[in-house]
Amino acid sequence: MSEKTAQLPENILEVTDLCKYFRVSRKATLKAVDHVTLTIRRGETLGLVGESGCGKTTCGRTMIRLYNPTSGTVKFNGVDISSLSGKRLLEFKKNAQIIFQDPYASLDPRMTIGEIISEGMNVHFNYSDKEKTDRVNDLLNKVGLAQDYANRFAHELSGGQRQRIGIARALAVDPQFIVCDEPISALDVSIQAQVVNLLIKLQREFKLTYLFISHDLSMVKHISDRVGVMYLGNLVELATNLELYDRPLHPYTKALISAIPTADPDGEATRQRIKLEGEVPSPINPPEGCRFVQRCKYACDRCRQETPKIREVKPNHFVACHRCEELENES
Ligand code: SF4
């Protein structure tokens, strides 16, 4: 943890105008991530939410160079990651890890759990066999599993246990930043809270920064300091957890939040759900102007012609909507 010191910039990650497009045919391009700008502060958890296919996973993967961006920049600790190669790229890969969505597919069935956890150590550290065994045992302990799991194989484990191995594997190389890519969506509901609470505990212990990607808004609220909302490749709102859930300003965020069930029976009885009409348009052929225009009941001519840029509407509250102030004053 020698680099986790005071000289590092406050923002661990600065993403500017990031685009990631995929050519799907000779004539068609899928704009999975389109002009996303955001920062992630050291030590925080930034939640990233949105419906399936909104680009949140592609955004997370491009931030750690699993995909090369089509355009735009990602700076990690102040350094543009596209400029990295050789040892500096290896150092970045060590510092920026990922926990994958599917704990069934992300662990090699031919390797023991000990081999899976220590794979990254072999690349980044010069441990003796004894040091490696001790480290694996320690990591198993940290994620709540007994040492004898080191000799087992992934197929012998439950989904929750496999995801704990995914977490131990990410921690094994002593990272600063972890993309948690829908880490609970493949798990039973009863296990999801355990895994999220484990992530919170480990974040405190290892001073980690997380990007927590999920479509589960309740879980994102539980774990995140700030939350970004994506729609069809665009970041449409970004605010602190409290502000976003209590005073959402973008019509899409309002609809998402209105769909969250409450634990209080009285609140649940009076909850007014905003129903979104229509399907999410294809990111291959998104609408002109605001991407949300076809589903937004507040759309006006300007919305059909001009793409709203994300801007700071209130301190630390960013929104991409032409009419958000007007709509807030009306409500
Ligand atoms: Fe709705 Fe217009 Fe705002 Fe887009 S810019 S969310 S269409 S009001």
Side-chain angles (χ1 to χ4, degrees):
M1 305 253 174
S2 58
E3 287 182 43
K4 294 175 181 176
T5 54
Q7 294 93 7
L8 293 169
E10 185 194 349
N11 293 330
I12 194 166
L13 216 82
E14 290 179 1
V15 175
T16 308
D17 229 5
L18 187 70
C19 296
K20 178 61 193 175
Y21 301 163
F22 297 96
R23 178 66 71 84
V24 289
S25 72
R26 263 195 318 137
K27 287 190 178 163
T29 299
L30 187 153
K31 295 183 175 180
V33 176
D34 210 15
H35 300 286
V36 166
T37 295
L38 56 82
T39 55
I40 304 182
R41 297 171 191 155
R42 192 172 305 282
E44 78 168 344
T45 296
L46 179 72
L48 201 54
V49 298
E51 290 162 293
S52 294
C54 69
K56 52 193 188 303
T57 287
T58 306
C59 194
R61 291 181 177 202
T62 311
M63 284 181 197
I64 57 168
R65 239 182 99 167
L66 287 184
Y67 298 140
N68 286 320
T70 305
S71 62
T73 56
V74 178
K75 285 187 181 175
F76 184 77
N77 288 332
V79 177
D80 183 348
I81 62 170
S82 66
S83 69
L84 301 175
S85 60
K87 275 190 180 166
R88 292 178 73 212
L89 178 59
L90 200 64
E91 181 68 13
F92 167 69
K93 297 268 176 188
K94 180 190 95 60
N95 281 325
Q97 289 286 305
I98 184 166
I99 299 165
F100 291 100
Q101 173 178 6
D102 186 350
Y104 293 87
S106 62
L107 304 180
D108 189 330
R110 293 161 300 182
M111 295 168 77
T112 65
I113 296 305
E115 287 168 340
I116 289 171
I117 295 175
S118 57
E119 205 179 8
M121 294 180 208
N122 297 334
V123 176
H124 297 288
F125 303 117
N126 234 342
Y127 289 148
S128 68
D129 287 348
K130 160 102 176 47
E131 285 170 328
K132 215 158 49 178
T133 305
D134 289 348
R135 179 103 172 105
V136 168
N137 289 341
D138 184 44
L139 285 162
L140 284 169
N141 181 264
K142 296 271 188 242
V143 299
L145 295 173
Q147 292 182 7
D148 66 345
Y149 277 78
N151 298 318
R152 300 191 195 181
F153 290 88
H155 71 264
E156 299 173 67
L157 275 53
S158 68
Q161 289 168 338
R162 287 181 204 202
Q163 199 53 296
R164 286 170 192 267
I165 301 303
I167 295 169
R169 175 175 58 184
L171 289 178
V173 293
D174 204 5
Q176 297 175 10
F177 173 60
I178 300 180
V179 173
C180 306
D181 181 12
E182 302 252 16
I184 53 167
S185 61
L187 305 178
D188 288 349
V189 175
S190 58
I191 307 296
Q192 289 182 351
Q194 289 176 17
V195 170
V196 166
N197 289 335
L198 174 65
L199 285 169
I200 293 171
K201 176 181 94 84
L202 294 169
Q203 180 178 38
R204 289 189 190 128
E205 188 171 348
F206 294 105
K207 299 188 169 41
L208 296 164
T209 306
Y210 290 149
L211 176 69
F212 189 87
I213 298 169
S214 179
H215 59 265
D216 182 336
L217 274 92
S218 304
M219 216 45 103
V220 168
K221 185 178 184 186
H222 179 60
I223 193 172
S224 303
D225 299 293
R226 292 187 304 142
V227 179
V229 181
M230 285 191 72
Y231 183 78
L232 213 61
N234 290 160
L235 183 71
V236 297
E237 188 154 7
L238 177 68
T240 61
N241 182 332
L242 274 180
E243 175 83 2
L244 191 108
Y245 283 84
D246 286 354
R247 288 175 291 279
L249 292 178
H250 194 283
Y252 177 61
T253 313
K254 288 181 185 174
L256 285 184
I257 288 176
S258 78
I260 304 174
T262 64
D264 166 24
D266 293 336
E268 190 59 19
T270 56
R271 179 165 64 96
Q272 300 240 317
R273 183 165 180 186
I274 304 169
K275 280 207 174 138
L276 285 176
E277 305 290 336
E279 296 295 315
V280 184
S282 164
I284 294 172
N285 190 18
E288 293 288 315
C290 175
R291 296 259 166 116
F292 190 56
V293 71
Q294 294 163 346
R295 302 172 82 192
C296 181
K297 64 179 177 183
Y298 307 108
C300 61
D301 285 347
R302 186 181 176 198
C303 307
R304 283 179 262 281
Q305 289 153 11
E306 190 186 326
T307 305
K309 288 200 165 48
I310 193 151
R311 59 202 166 86
E312 194 167 10
V313 171
K314 295 179 182 179
N316 296 313
H317 193 153
F318 300 81
V319 189
C321 171
H322 295 310
R323 303 191 60 195
C324 60
E325 291 99 336
E326 190 190 330
L327 297 174
E328 191 190 18
N329 293 335
E330 275 176 19
S331 60

